[in-house]
Amino acid sequence: MKKHIIASMLLSCFAVSTQATAADNLQYHFSNSLITSIRNCNKYNEEFTKINPDLADMDATCQRFDIKINGILTDNLCHATITHKTQNHGKTTYRCKLTRSQRNELYNAIMTRSAEPITSTFTVFEEYEDEQGNTYREPTVKTMTDSLINITLEKLRLNACEATYEEPTPASQQQFAEYILTFSDNFQKKLQTCTPAQEYIRTPYLTKPIKIIGKEANTCVIDSSAFIYHIPMSEIYKLTNYDQLSVFATDPQIAQYSPSPDLKHTLFALDACQKEEEYSSSIFTQMINAIQITKQTTANNQDHDCVIKYREEVSRPDYYEEYETVCVFPDSEVADLISPYQKVLASSSRIKPSPAAEKAGTALYKILEKQGYCKLNSL
């Protein structure tokens, strides 16, 4: 398994623990000692998962969550360290420096003890990496609907903390892959007879199910969202986990790629059309073992039409594919399409669209598709 995929799993523990929505009714428990330390910045250590065991249960990768408040140092900031340790799978450390105002904001959010959702708009400095590997921080206006404590923690994570990741050993990575990606016993039994069933992989980066469709011409048809597989029944016994499924994906005779446009940039593409500007989104790259999938959205005006192109490239060993979904429609329709999303446009970064912008992009594409404006081409 690729090491950056392992890293993305572990980093997601912080997102899970600090961004669980109010709708999930997750109530954090803060000890009196920790609350006092947050308010006064006196030195204190606590294993947060001992009094919040639900955090460890929420995801198989999150095993231990430690908080250490180091006190006010010479820069007159309150220094704190948050560490996520996982069982033999590496460690992520967040080193935070909080002003008095930020400590007061966190203290007030804790003492409010409310899980009711609110909507807040605030500025954060998010870190991005360009194609050359250079990192930089960009001010971004973000709108978030969640509980007060989750909104406050998100603001601190992005504005006051820096993260470092400690690699697990190769043996730990292999052990982790075998555990986290293995299909359940029941699903494996269904596979052996190719009986329709589905299973969700228990990782943050895989959000769609693996589906067994059924038998077809002595093959078992399986849908993993990215690929449709026709695996010979004589080979199905080899399939016990997701990694083995991705090995089959290297063979275009067995696995057919399922084009799926990256829709989260659609709102910005339409906005560029309205302004008669050319638009190119950031490039999304996904690695599935030896397979690389890249996606990009572009837009421009041509003869009073808005033209949006969703490009997908799939690179397998010795096999390369390109797809392009093209939507062409009168640019006179753009204003009405994006009119309901002006606030989302104003509060979301083009480089990293907000959840609201992603949702708007999907909704807008569905409208274009329903009107018959979009067509998939194999290049």
Side-chain angles (χ1 to χ4, degrees):
M1 172 177 286
K2 300 293 183 181
K3 64 182 181 181
H4 67 273
I5 294 180
I6 294 284
S8 72
M9 294 181 192
L10 297 173
L11 288 172
S12 73
C13 291
F14 187 83
V16 167
S17 60
T18 62
Q19 297 175 35
T21 63
D24 292 330
N25 294 319
L26 177 64
Q27 293 275 13
Y28 304 118
H29 302 289
F30 293 88
S31 67
N32 290 334
S33 297
L34 179 59
I35 292 173
T36 299
S37 183
I38 288 172
R39 187 172 196 182
N40 301 322
C41 197
N42 55 286
K43 293 184 179 181
Y44 179 70
N45 294 349
E46 179 172 291
E47 184 182 342
F48 198 62
T49 37
K50 279 192 174 180
I51 57 173
N52 290 272
D54 287 346
L55 290 181
D57 294 339
M58 285 177 67
D59 189 273
T61 63
C62 301
Q63 299 293 326
R64 181 165 171 162
F65 182 17
D66 293 319
I67 297 175
K68 181 180 181 180
I69 297 180
N70 304 304
I72 297 177
L73 302 187
T74 55
D75 56 7
N76 205 33
L77 298 174
C78 182
H79 288 238
T81 304
I82 300 170
T83 305
H84 279 169
K85 296 180 181 179
T86 60
Q87 190 173 1
N88 300 319
H89 313 307
K91 179 175 71 174
T92 303
T93 302
Y94 293 85
R95 292 179 174 84
C96 307
K97 301 176 183 179
L98 281 68
T99 64
R100 179 182 292 275
S101 175
Q102 288 170 327
R103 281 192 288 126
N104 288 340
E105 185 178 9
L106 178 57
Y107 173 80
N108 291 333
I110 292 171
M111 299 309 293
T112 299
R113 302 183 188 279
S114 174
E116 290 299 317
I118 62 172
T119 298
S120 177
T121 299
F122 50 90
T123 300
V124 298
F125 291 82
E126 297 197 73
E127 186 174 283
Y128 301 101
E129 182 175 326
D130 62 23
E131 295 179 7
Q132 288 72 43
N134 302 312
T135 58
Y136 59 96
R137 286 183 175 268
E138 178 185 270
T140 302
V141 176
K142 184 170 185 174
T143 298
M144 183 175 174
T145 299
D146 210 322
S147 64
L148 177 61
I149 183 62
N150 283 338
I151 291 173
T152 303
L153 289 169
E154 174 72 351
K155 290 166 66 175
L156 295 179
R157 181 178 74 87
L158 294 171
N159 288 337
C161 302
E162 293 185 356
T164 57
Y165 173 66
E166 186 177 310
E167 292 277 2
T169 65
S172 294
Q173 291 190 41
Q174 182 61 34
Q175 181 184 6
F176 178 70
E178 290 175 355
Y179 165 71
I180 202 71
L181 299 179
T182 298
F183 297 138
S184 68
D185 290 342
N186 182 60
F187 191 73
Q188 289 187 46
K189 289 178 182 177
K190 299 285 187 180
L191 275 170
Q192 299 312 305
T193 56
C194 198
T195 302
Q198 72 176 27
E199 173 134 307
Y200 284 87
I201 301 299
R202 300 165 302 193
T203 67
Y205 70 99
L206 288 172
T207 58
K208 295 183 179 180
I210 307 296
K211 295 181 180 179
I212 304 172
I213 306 301
K215 290 182 181 179
E216 182 180 303
N218 205 33
T219 67
C220 186
V221 183
I222 299 172
D223 183 356
S224 72
S225 299
F227 293 94
I228 301 292
Y229 299 84
H230 288 75
I231 301 176
M233 290 301 298
S234 59
E235 299 287 308
I236 205 71
Y237 72 94
K238 298 178 180 179
L239 191 56
T240 61
N241 62 49
Y242 182 80
D243 262 2
Q244 291 164 349
L245 185 64
S246 64
V247 171
F248 283 110
T250 62
D251 186 346
Q253 300 301 316
I254 291 178
Q256 179 182 358
Y257 178 68
S258 296
S260 176
D262 185 10
L263 304 180
K264 61 179 173 284
H265 302 281
T266 303
L267 177 60
F268 304 110
L270 283 164
D271 183 50
C273 275
Q274 186 178 39
K275 296 174 180 176
E276 297 187 357
E277 300 173 349
E278 292 192 358
Y279 174 76
S280 294
S281 73
S282 56
I283 298 175
F284 168 81
T285 301
Q286 178 185 11
M287 295 297 301
I288 304 176
N289 284 349
I291 302 167
Q292 178 174 294
I293 301 171
T294 60
K295 301 183 181 184
Q296 187 178 31
T297 303
T298 61
N300 68 312
N301 289 72
Q302 294 180 9
D303 299 326
H304 303 292
D305 283 335
C306 178
V307 180
I308 303 177
K309 297 181 179 180
Y310 303 91
R311 190 178 183 86
E312 302 176 63
E313 300 177 9
V314 186
S315 180
R316 315 187 217 189
D318 305 318
Y319 194 75
Y320 178 79
E321 303 161 84
E322 293 182 37
Y323 299 90
E324 197 171 69
T325 301
V326 182
C327 301
V328 182
F329 52 97
D331 57 13
S332 58
E333 297 184 19
V334 174
D336 288 340
L337 286 167
I338 65 174
S339 177
Y341 303 106
Q342 293 303 314
K343 289 184 178 179
V344 177
L345 272 172
S347 62
S348 183
S349 165
R350 282 192 174 192
I351 299 174
K352 187 178 180 182
S354 66
E358 292 188 27
K359 185 176 180 180
T362 300
L364 288 165
Y365 177 80
K366 287 181 178 179
I367 293 173
L368 297 175
E369 186 179 40
K370 187 176 181 180
Q371 294 293 326
Y373 291 142
C374 301
K375 181 182 179 182
L376 172 66
N377 300 312
S378 179
L379 303 179

